[in-house]
Amino acid sequence: MRHTWFALVALLALANIARADPPGMTEPAAPPPPDAGSYRFQIAAADLTAIGLGLLGRAGDSDAFTGAALGMYIAGGPIVHLIHHHTGRAAASAALRIGLPIVAGVVGSAIDRSQCTGDCGDVPGLGGALIGVTLGAVTASAIDIGYLSRGEDSKPLGPADRPLATLPPSAPLESVEPRTVRVGLAFAF
């Protein structure tokens, strides 16, 4: 008997949930929030993990943690892009994460060596190279988080993306008779 009451209550609950409004009475869905589809926090979490592993490597003088940090920095972002089925963004992320620190490191080293007028230490330009590599890595991460991991719906519509014409809200589609063609023009300045 208890199962019968349970089944009756469940059936009534489902019947209440399953009701629908008549056509034309349903309100349109709200537009997605501006950051819908974005996975910026996942890319940022991967980069923060790389920073944490790097700090552990420096604190413990461990090459294993330092290698893991480098691998996480280079592969973390592209893997997140691949999980979201954006192969082009994954390739761009990998290129940025490898190329930008190298280019910035070379530029930093050249600037540092050009400023050297006396005793420059054992490896001239090393300080500038380290600063350049660090700035390049931070910039690559910022571009990846800020631009590459944006949501599909968050980009602003350009002129080519806007619809050419829209139906006014007072003209429901049901009022058009079969075999009737309506043509209109819309201009925007």
Side-chain angles (χ1 to χ4, degrees), residues 2 4 6 9 12 47 65 68 74 81-82 93 97 106 119 124-125 145 148 154 162 172 175 177-178 181-182 186 188:
R2 186 183 333 165
T4 306
F6 178 73
V9 169
L12 288 174
D47 288 344
F65 279 120
I74 292 172
H81 288 296
L82 289 174
S93 175
R97 289 170 178 273
V106 168
D119 184 27
I145 292 169
L148 292 178
S154 65
R162 291 194 177 104
S175 67
E177 296 86 27
V181 176
R182 292 186 182 188

Side-chain angles (χ1 to χ4, degrees), residues 103-134:
V103 169
V106 168
V107 169
S109 176
I111 291 172
D112 192 25
R113 277 183 285 157
S114 72
Q115 301 296 321
C116 183
T117 56
D119 184 27
C120 296
D122 294 336
V123 182
L126 180 62
L130 291 176
I131 291 172
V133 166
T134 303

Side-chain angles (χ1 to χ4, degrees), residues 3-27:
H3 298 291
T4 306
W5 281 105
F6 178 73
L8 183 61
V9 169
L11 184 62
L12 288 174
L14 287 175
N16 190 29
I17 292 172
R19 68 179 173 80
D21 291 329
M25 299 297 292
T26 308
E27 293 184 26

Side-chain angles (χ1 to χ4, degrees), residues 12-187:
L12 288 174
L14 287 175
N16 190 29
I17 292 172
R19 68 179 173 80
D21 291 329
M25 299 297 292
T26 308
E27 293 184 26
D35 226 13
S38 168
Y39 48 94
R40 289 183 169 117
F41 292 117
Q42 294 172 0
I43 300 283
D47 288 344
L48 288 174
T49 302
I51 291 171
L53 288 170
L55 292 175
L56 283 173
R58 294 282 296 165
D61 200 25
S62 169
D63 290 339
F65 279 120
T66 305
L70 182 63
M72 185 65 170
Y73 165 75
I74 292 172
I79 288 172
V80 173
H81 288 296
L82 289 174
I83 289 171
H84 289 276
H85 307 290
H86 293 140
T87 54
R89 292 180 186 185
S93 175
L96 274 173
R97 289 170 178 273
I98 294 169
L100 204 55
I102 291 173
V103 169
V106 168
V107 169
S109 176
I111 291 172
D112 192 25
R113 277 183 285 157
S114 72
Q115 301 296 321
C116 183
T117 56
D119 184 27
C120 296
D122 294 336
V123 182
L126 180 62
L130 291 176
I131 291 172
V133 166
T134 303
L135 289 176
V138 168
T139 303
S141 177
I143 292 171
D144 201 357
I145 292 169
Y147 180 70
L148 292 178
S149 59
R150 71 192 184 284
E152 296 301 320
D153 299 326
S154 65
K155 69 175 185 169
L157 292 178
D161 297 329
R162 291 194 177 104
L164 295 176
T166 58
L167 290 175
S170 61
L173 292 175
E174 298 92 36
S175 67
V176 178
E177 296 86 27
R179 297 188 186 102
T180 301
V181 176
R182 292 186 182 188
V183 178
L185 296 173
F187 297 97

